[in-house]
Amino acid sequence: MIRRPPRSTLSSSSAASDVYKRQYQRRVRGRVVLWTMRVSLGQIRTSVVAALQCSGLNHSSSKAVAEVVVSAERDHCHSHGLFRVPGYCECLLRGYYDTQATPTVRDTAPAALHVDAAGCFAPVAFLQAWPTLERKARTNGVAIASISNNRHFSALWYECEMIARSGLVAISMVNSRAFVHHWGGTSKVYGTNPVSYTHLRAHETPEHLVCRLLLEKKKKNNKDIK
C-alpha cells in the first residue's frame, strides 16, 4: 500500500498541491548528471493524455489512466507515475491493449457486479463500474465488484481513496503469481500490490486519507529507530 506524505511537506510553494519537484538523471560521458524540474500537475495530466492518445488510446480512457499517473506523482509514488507512461505507450503501439475497448458491467447479484474490461486498463473498467457499485453498497450495506480481462491494474490505492472519499470503507485486491511473502514470513504467497484498504477516520478529511498498512509500518520503524 502507498500513502502520500501530508500535503504540507510536498513543497514549500504556496501551490503545494499543484507543483512538485521531479528529479531526473542522465548519463553524460560516463557520469550521472542529476537535475530537478518544477512541473505542475496540470502539465503532467495534459502531457500524459497527449502521449496516450498519440499511442492510439481513446480520449476517455487516456484521461482515466492519466488521473492515476497524476495522483501517483502528487503522492510521491513515482513507481506508478510518469515512470509507467513509456511502457503504457509501447504496449499500446504493440497492440497489447485494446485502444477502443469499452468495459461491460454485468449485474450478478443485489450486492455484486462483474466488469469485463475487454482488454483495457483497469482504472477505465473501475470508473465504468463505480456508479453501480456505490449504489449497491449504499442500498445493501456492502457490495463487491470483480474485474476480468484487464491488462494492468496499476496502484490499488487509487480506487480505495476514491471510494473512501464517498464515505465508504474500501478493500481492493488483485490476484497474480506469487512474488512476495506475508509480513514476517518467508514463503512467497502474494502477487505484487496484493491488498489495499482504507476508510475515512474521524480526524481525517477526503484530502488526507491514510492507507492503514503503511502507517503501521512507519510507526514500527520509528520505534525501532528510537
Side-chain angles (χ1 to χ4, degrees), residues 2-189:
I2 308 299
R3 167 58 191 155
R4 61 175 174 268
R7 290 183 186 275
S8 59
T9 67
L10 295 183
S11 168
S12 58
S13 167
S14 59
S17 61
D18 295 323
V19 180
Y20 79 107
K21 291 183 178 181
R22 186 73 159 91
Q23 190 178 66
Y24 295 83
Q25 69 177 34
R26 182 179 182 184
R27 187 171 293 277
V28 180
R29 294 180 181 178
R31 300 180 62 183
V32 175
V33 179
L34 299 176
W35 74 95
T36 299
M37 295 179 62
R38 294 182 65 84
V39 186
S40 72
L41 297 180
Q43 287 176 300
I44 294 175
R45 182 179 291 104
T46 300
S47 297
V48 173
V49 170
L52 294 173
Q53 285 192 276
C54 285
S55 300
L57 191 62
N58 64 58
H59 182 66
S60 60
S61 296
S62 296
K63 288 178 61 178
V65 176
E67 286 305 319
V68 180
V69 173
V70 169
S71 297
E73 289 293 347
R74 178 199 64 203
D75 299 351
H76 289 208
C77 177
H78 301 312
S79 62
H80 285 84
L82 291 170
F83 170 81
R84 298 276 180 175
V85 177
Y88 290 157
C89 292
E90 182 177 357
C91 289
L92 286 166
L93 293 171
R94 289 176 178 269
Y96 185 66
Y97 295 98
D98 185 341
T99 58
Q100 305 302 319
T102 301
T104 303
V105 180
R106 182 166 56 91
D107 196 325
T108 57
L113 58 90
H114 176 74
V115 188
D116 183 348
C120 71
F121 292 86
V124 180
F126 175 79
L127 289 177
Q128 190 82 3
W130 171 232
T132 304
L133 182 64
E134 182 181 19
R135 175 178 55 78
K136 285 177 174 289
R138 296 192 186 283
T139 301
N140 300 286
V142 65
I144 183 171
S146 58
I147 300 176
S148 63
N149 297 325
N150 64 286
R151 291 291 183 255
H152 182 60
F153 200 92
S154 190
L156 293 180
W157 49 261
Y158 179 76
E159 286 80 5
C160 280
E161 288 191 351
M162 184 185 299
I163 295 171
R165 288 191 183 99
S166 297
L168 301 171
V169 176
I171 302 175
S172 181
M173 295 173 283
V174 63
N175 65 317
S176 74
R177 290 176 293 175
F179 289 108
V180 296
H181 58 72
H182 189 69
W183 182 258
T186 58
S187 300
K188 295 178 181 179
V189 177

Side-chain angles (χ1 to χ4, degrees), residues 172-209:
S172 181
M173 295 173 283
V174 63
N175 65 317
S176 74
R177 290 176 293 175
F179 289 108
V180 296
H181 58 72
H182 189 69
W183 182 258
T186 58
S187 300
K188 295 178 181 179
V189 177
Y190 304 115
T192 56
N193 255 3
V195 181
S196 176
Y197 89 98
T198 191
H199 64 278
L200 201 59
R201 297 189 293 185
H203 64 279
E204 292 177 334
T205 64
E207 291 75 25
H208 293 83
L209 294 172

Side-chain angles (χ1 to χ4, degrees), residues 1 183 195 197 210-218:
M1 295 180 206
W183 182 258
V195 181
Y197 89 98
V210 178
C211 282
R212 306 281 89 83
L213 183 57
L214 188 56
L215 177 64
E216 297 302 320
K217 288 183 179 179
K218 282 184 177 179

